[in-house]
Amino acid sequence: MSNIWEFLYQTVSVSLVALLILVLRKIFDGKLSPRFMCFVWSVLALRVLVPASLVRNTGVSLGLAAEYIKTVGERGLSSAYAAEFEPLTMKAPFPYVMQAPKSVTDVIFIVYIAGIFIFLFAHMFSYARLRLALRRAPSAAFEKAEKVRAVCEKYGLKPCRVKEAEVPTAFVCGIFRPVLVLPMSCETDEKIILHEILHLKYKDIAAGVFISILRALHWCNPFLFYVFSRIENDIEKLCDHRVLELLSGEERREYGKLLLLCANERYARAVGTSSVSNGGKNISARIESIVRFKKYPRGMAVVSVCIVIVMCAFCIVGVKAEYDTGLYNPTYGEYEEAFAMSRINRCTTPAGALDAFAKAKIYKNSVYLAMCSPIYMQEEFLANAGTGREYDTELIIKTVSLFPRRAAFLSP
């Protein structure tokens, strides 16, 4: 993303996909397993990482609207990062700048980038401070370390380092050198230990770090903040489900009681950690899921994969499409929208340029002429649109003279 308009284009596209997933989850709530409820969020992750301008005609395509809004917003400005008639060509989902700002929209984009760095720095500082504190913390007592080792051996899990600290509940910290931290003042039930070790096995901490990076990229979008919190809660629900699959009967009820004890705990989770406690409201929802717990047949995994594949085709892959439907003869009030269409549907080959030029002559439509002409001529076409002057011999010769140059048919 190289300007604020590309960010808005990207974040709105991502928000629409997130809204679609929320609706889908509501429909399938209780019908598909927690694994599906987490797996379906992979569609959103892909949508965040794929620049919105690379695909067309998806279920949530906003290309024409984004180009039109950018054109109106940049009118009268001399921005360094965007121009009124320069099409949105997003090359990466991450922001970058190549020069100093010159206009108010440039400054807004710089503020957005500064917000990302502040957000990431705050989380990195919090994590570094926690790791430093844990480095000073003592190793767990022999009895507690043996308890962790016994739980890992019982369920076939890989153990990790164990330390003690003055914390309200157990948690795991770190991706590459993980540490299981146990409360110093009380005993930790083996089911809670199992919960945290399962987080390690399934790389949930790494997923949390990835979600934090996505949250930083969209720090000024409150809806996506809510969605990313839902994803983290779904990861906790899935971990609960995995714990319950390893337990039986009375042990499952005891696990629910343990979660209930954490409902009033306020634990500020740092990036790079996991904890069984994630707030009273979220724990209440997790206990409801435990009450409805059931083992789903393996065939449901195939259904989940098929649903995600269809959603990827609908929201991410898309198809190349023409935007000229109904725009052969735009009225006076539609010229700006029509010219925005021409910028996102540029001719890319000499044959396509010749075809567009022929249509421009046949339909007397300057929009087709703009599709096969250099971007710097857009302002001239728009100024003359509807007057007939865009078909003056001098202007046509200027356009035709550029046909042999293949570069003229590509985005500048």
Side-chain angles (χ1 to χ4, degrees):
M1 296 181 286
S2 59
N3 57 68
I4 192 63
W5 308 108
E6 290 181 350
F7 163 70
L8 292 175
Y9 183 14
Q10 180 79 352
T11 197
V12 172
S13 298
V14 173
S15 297
L16 289 176
V17 173
L19 180 62
L20 177 64
I21 293 175
L22 288 175
V23 172
L24 187 69
R25 291 178 75 263
K26 186 69 175 178
I27 294 173
F28 289 101
D29 187 25
K31 300 179 179 65
L32 293 177
S33 72
R35 287 183 175 84
F36 164 76
M37 296 303 184
C38 278
F39 184 47
V40 73
W41 289 119
S42 62
V43 178
L44 181 65
L46 289 173
R47 193 66 192 83
V48 173
L49 296 176
V50 176
S53 61
L54 291 185
V55 293
R56 295 184 182 179
N57 204 37
T58 61
V60 288
S61 181
L62 298 169
L64 183 56
E67 182 65 31
Y68 175 73
I69 293 172
K70 183 267 300 178
T71 301
V72 175
E74 288 294 331
R75 183 161 300 145
L77 300 178
S78 298
S79 301
Y81 309 146
E84 181 179 353
F85 296 105
E86 184 177 343
L88 295 173
T89 53
M90 202 181 313
K91 298 178 181 179
F94 310 102
Y96 59 90
V97 292
M98 305 299 291
Q99 53 186 310
K102 295 181 180 179
S103 70
V104 62
T105 56
D106 291 344
V107 172
I108 293 173
F109 188 60
I110 293 295
V111 170
Y112 159 67
I113 295 177
I116 294 177
F117 281 101
I118 293 172
F119 190 94
L120 291 176
F121 176 79
H123 282 298
M124 290 174 62
F125 178 77
S126 175
Y127 176 76
R129 187 173 60 177
L130 177 60
R131 291 293 294 194
L132 181 61
L134 292 179
R135 184 177 298 178
R136 298 169 180 170
S139 298
F142 177 77
E143 294 79 7
K144 291 184 177 181
E146 279 297 302
K147 188 176 184 178
V148 173
R149 186 194 62 78
V151 170
C152 293
E153 184 176 342
K154 179 179 179 180
Y155 296 103
L157 302 172
K158 184 179 178 181
C160 68
R161 292 181 298 158
V162 186
K163 291 198 171 188
E164 289 183 282
E166 291 294 341
V167 292
T169 185
F171 67 93
V172 173
C173 178
I175 299 175
F176 302 107
R177 297 185 63 193
V179 179
L180 174 60
V181 183
L182 301 178
M184 186 177 290
S185 57
C186 62
E187 285 294 320
T188 303
D189 192 278
E190 69 171 25
K191 300 176 202 51
I192 301 299
I193 295 174
L194 175 60
H195 178 100
E196 297 304 329
I197 297 298
L198 284 174
H199 273 311
L200 276 180
K201 177 180 178 180
Y202 291 99
K203 313 298 182 185
D204 292 339
I205 299 174
V209 172
F210 178 66
I211 291 170
S212 295
I213 294 173
L214 300 186
R215 186 183 279 115
L217 286 175
H218 298 269
W219 63 267
C220 50
N221 187 332
F223 174 68
L224 287 182
F225 249 67
Y226 163 77
V227 169
F228 292 138
S229 296
R230 287 289 299 269
I231 296 174
E232 291 176 332
N233 293 334
D234 282 347
I235 290 175
E236 287 297 332
K237 286 183 180 180
L238 177 56
C239 193
D240 291 338
H241 187 82
R242 287 165 174 157
V243 170
L244 295 176
E245 287 179 330
L246 296 174
L247 302 178
S248 60
E250 187 62 30
E251 290 180 317
R252 292 173 181 167
R253 286 187 287 272
E254 292 175 359
Y255 181 71
K257 294 178 182 177
L258 290 171
L259 285 184
L260 190 59
L261 293 176
C262 299
N264 294 323
E265 296 286 357
R266 290 185 175 271
Y267 181 75
R269 179 184 300 177
V271 173
T273 66
S274 69
S275 172
V276 70
S277 177
N278 63 340
K281 184 177 180 180
N282 295 322
I283 286 182
S284 298
R286 288 164 62 187
I287 292 175
E288 291 180 6
S289 298
I290 291 174
V291 172
R292 301 195 308 265
F293 170 77
K294 62 180 178 179
K295 291 188 176 181
Y296 292 83
R298 293 186 178 275
M300 296 305 293
V302 178
V303 176
S304 302
V305 171
C306 291
I307 292 175
V308 169
I309 290 174
V310 171
M311 288 192 66
C312 285
F314 183 72
C315 300
I316 300 174
V317 179
V319 296
K320 292 196 76 173
E322 304 296 330
Y323 289 85
D324 59 3
T325 304
L327 293 176
Y328 286 112
N329 294 293
T331 62
Y332 179 77
E334 296 173 336
Y335 277 119
E336 287 188 350
E337 181 181 351
F339 275 84
M341 177 276 299
S342 72
R343 287 193 291 278
I344 64 174
N345 199 32
R346 302 273 295 154
C347 297
T348 57
T349 64
L354 289 170
D355 179 69
F357 182 75
K359 287 181 178 178
K361 293 294 292 179
I362 294 172
Y363 295 107
K364 295 294 182 183
N365 189 334
S366 56
V367 175
Y368 281 111
L369 202 58
M371 290 171 60
C372 62
S373 304
I375 290 296
Y376 70 81
M377 296 180 68
Q378 291 271 307
E379 186 172 5
E380 187 173 0
F381 285 132
L382 184 59
N384 293 324
T387 65
R389 290 197 298 271
E390 67 266 38
Y391 298 103
D392 287 348
T393 303
E394 181 180 349
L395 189 57
I396 293 176
I397 292 175
K398 188 187 302 184
T399 304
V400 174
S401 66
L402 294 169
F403 279 1
R405 305 178 191 175
R406 181 176 178 81
F409 311 127
L410 304 175
S411 298

